[in-house]
Amino acid sequence: MSTKQKHILVTGGAGFIGSHTVVELIEAGYTPVIIDDFRNSERFIPERLEKLTNQKIIAVDAACQDVEVLDSLFSKYNFEGVIHFAADKAVGESVSDPLKYYDNNLSSLISILRMMDKYNTKSLVFSSSCTVYGNPKSTTGKSVVTEDSIHLNPDSPYGNTKLIGEQILQDWIASSSRSNVALLRYFNPIGAHASGEIGELPQGIPNNLLPYITQTAVGIREKLTVFGNDYDTEDGTCIRDYIHVCDLADAHVSAIKWLDLQTNPGIEIFNIGTGKGTSVLEMVQAFEKVIGKPLSWEYGPKRSGDIPEIYANPIKAKEMLQWESKFSIFQAIEDAWRWENNRPKND
Ligand code: UFG
C-alpha cells in the first residue's frame, strides 16, 4: 500500500451526509474507508460512489461497536482522521425507543474513541446538531445562535445523545487524549449531489420537510401538511437554516484539513449553516417556483417539540476553517428534485 494515501475512516459513510462527504474527500485527495452496517442506508451506495468518483471505494459492512473489525481497520490503514456520522437519527423513534438511541449512538462513539486512543489517531470530526441549542429565543431573545449560545436540554432522546456525545468528547479531550476534535453542529441539510447518483433515502414516511415535499410532488404522498401557521414569525410558519448537503460535506473536508494543522490536542465547536433563515412557507414557494407547478399542501396543527425559529451564525467556521456555504436553497431544491425523479424507490 502506498504510504502517500491519506486514509480517513468514515463511519456511516453510506448514509445521506456520509456519502456526499465521501465524494468531497476523494475530490480533495483523501482515501475514505467506509464502515457502515446499512441499517439506515442502501447497499448499492458504495457502487454509486464508485461510478461517481471513478475510484474504488473501500466499504466494510459492520457496526461501529464491532471492536474486532475496527481494530483491523485501524491497524491496516493508519488513519489520518475519523469522521463519525454513524448514528440513529429519527427524532420520533427516539422518543418511543430511547434505549436504542442511547445504546447505539453513545456506544459507537465510545468504541471509536477507544480505538483512536489505541492507535494514536490525530483527528476526529463529530456530527452534532443545532438541536443542542433548544429554543434560543426563550433563552437569549434571539433566533441566531453562536457556538457559545446557551444550551438547553434538547427535546428528544436523539438530541440528548448529541449533547451527551459532545460532553463525552469534552471529557475525553480533557483527559490524556492526544487527539483533536472538530465538533460540527449541523443545521438542516437538504438537497442531493448534482449528478443525481446519490441523495437522501428516507425509510417510510419522511419526517423532514424537503423529502416530504418532493415525495408529494411525485405523488407518493397526497398532500404536505405545514405544521402550524401562528408561530411568532413573519408568515407564521417555522424558520430553519437549510444547508445544501454538498456544502455540509465540504465543511467536513475543511475540518479535516484544519485538524491536520493543529499541533496540540483540543476541541473546537463549529456551527455549519448558511446564516440565513427560511420559513416553511418560503420553502414551499421556492419549490413551486423551481418545478413550475403548484404543490398540494395545507396547514395543520403544530408538531410537538418544534422550535419556532433558529439559524446559524457561521462566522467561526468561515474564519477558522475557511469554509462557507455556496449553494442557495433554489440549487438545493433543484438537486433534490432531480434525485427524487431518479432515485430507486423503496417505499
Ligand atoms: N415541517 C412541516 N411539514 C412536514 C415536515 C416538516 O411543516 O411534513 C416543518 C417542521 O414543522 C419544521 C420545518 O418543516 O418547522 C423543518 O422540519 P424538519 O423535520 O425538516 O427539520 P427539523 O428542524 O425539525 O429537524 C432537524 C433535523 C433533526 C434535528 C433537528 C434539530 O432533522 O435531526 O433539526 O433542530 F434534531
Side-chain angles (χ1 to χ4, degrees):
M1 193 181 23
S2 157
T3 49
K4 282 192 199 118
Q5 278 182 312
K6 290 185 163 192
H7 287 101
I8 306 288
L9 181 66
V10 185
T11 78
F16 177 40
I17 306 171
S19 58
H20 290 79
T21 300
V22 165
V23 175
E24 299 291 335
L25 282 169
I26 290 172
E27 278 173 13
Y30 292 95
T31 306
V33 175
I34 296 173
I35 179 169
D36 199 308
D37 63 3
F38 300 96
R39 71 176 65 196
N40 192 25
S41 57
E42 299 293 334
R43 286 177 193 279
F44 61 76
I45 291 295
E47 253 170 60
R48 290 270 173 121
L49 291 170
E50 290 191 342
K51 188 174 160 200
L52 190 50
T53 61
N54 216 5
Q55 192 160 313
K56 181 97 193 84
I57 298 288
I58 310 163
V60 178
D61 180 353
C64 285
Q65 292 88 344
D66 193 328
V67 176
E68 266 174 43
V69 170
L70 279 187
D71 209 319
S72 69
L73 291 176
F74 273 78
S75 78
K76 181 169 178 190
Y77 293 110
N78 189 23
F79 295 118
E80 301 270 319
V82 177
I83 305 181
H84 181 48
F85 293 107
D88 287 311
K89 62 168 188 178
V91 174
E93 185 194 39
S94 79
V95 175
S96 54
D97 194 356
L99 298 185
K100 174 178 173 185
Y101 279 70
Y102 287 112
D103 186 2
N104 184 41
N105 292 4
L106 300 179
S107 64
S108 63
L109 174 63
I110 292 166
S111 318
I112 293 292
L113 300 186
R114 287 222 164 100
M115 220 41 81
M116 288 182 68
D117 274 341
K118 179 168 174 187
Y119 287 93
N120 259 316
T121 314
K122 185 167 185 289
S123 307
L124 173 69
V125 182
F126 177 67
S127 307
S128 189
S129 163
C130 66
T131 192
V132 301
Y133 295 114
N135 180 356
K137 215 163 187 176
S138 69
T139 44
T140 62
K142 287 190 200 146
S143 303
V144 58
V145 288
T146 53
E147 289 77 0
D148 54 7
S149 291
I150 295 171
H151 294 179
L152 287 179
N153 285 334
D155 264 313
S156 65
Y158 158 76
N160 287 335
T161 66
K162 290 296 169 189
L163 191 58
I164 297 166
E166 291 197 2
Q167 287 161 345
I168 290 173
L169 289 169
Q170 298 279 6
D171 291 344
W172 180 60
I173 288 301
S175 71
S176 57
S177 163
R178 303 296 309 151
S179 301
N180 239 284
V181 179
L183 202 159
L184 306 188
R185 291 187 182 144
Y186 310 153
F187 284 70
N188 288 57
I190 57 167
H193 196 268
S195 64
E197 292 291 335
I198 54 170
E200 195 168 5
L201 283 163
Q203 292 181 338
I205 302 172
N207 294 306
N208 297 118
L209 179 63
L210 191 54
Y212 206 106
I213 289 178
T214 57
Q215 290 197 10
T216 305
V218 292
I220 300 172
R221 312 285 155 211
E222 203 188 321
K223 202 177 254 195
L224 168 78
T225 303
V226 172
F227 299 138
N229 63 348
D230 62 352
Y231 283 101
D232 182 18
T233 60
E234 200 139 304
D235 63 24
T237 66
C238 292
I239 293 178
R240 296 286 182 277
D241 185 337
Y242 295 96
I243 174 166
H244 196 300
V245 65
C246 293
D247 274 334
L248 186 50
D250 188 39
H252 293 77
V253 176
S254 300
I256 283 285
K257 286 182 179 161
W258 176 80
L259 285 164
D260 202 28
L261 300 174
Q262 305 313 302
T263 44
N264 295 316
I267 181 164
E268 283 292 344
I269 303 173
F270 300 97
N271 280 342
I272 305 296
T274 67
K276 289 185 212 82
T278 303
S279 74
V280 177
L281 206 55
E282 285 170 334
M283 278 297 278
V284 170
Q285 287 160 351
F287 182 78
E288 289 177 330
K289 198 166 169 194
V290 168
I291 73 161
K293 275 195 289 192
L295 182 78
S296 170
W297 69 273
E298 64 186 359
Y299 285 120
K302 287 179 176 168
R303 183 172 68 176
S304 123
D306 270 343
I307 305 301
E309 180 172 5
I310 182 166
Y311 59 97
N313 176 335
I315 196 77
K316 185 174 173 188
K318 184 174 180 188
E319 285 176 359
M320 290 178 69
L321 303 181
Q322 266 82 57
W323 170 88
E324 64 184 324
S325 66
K326 297 196 246 343
F327 298 109
S328 67
I329 58 160
F330 289 96
Q331 281 159 311
I333 290 171
E334 246 174 61
D335 292 335
W337 182 233
R338 185 182 307 104
W339 169 245
E340 183 62 63
N341 286 289
N342 277 346
R343 74 177 176 94
K345 301 288 190 282
N346 52 4
D347 18 29

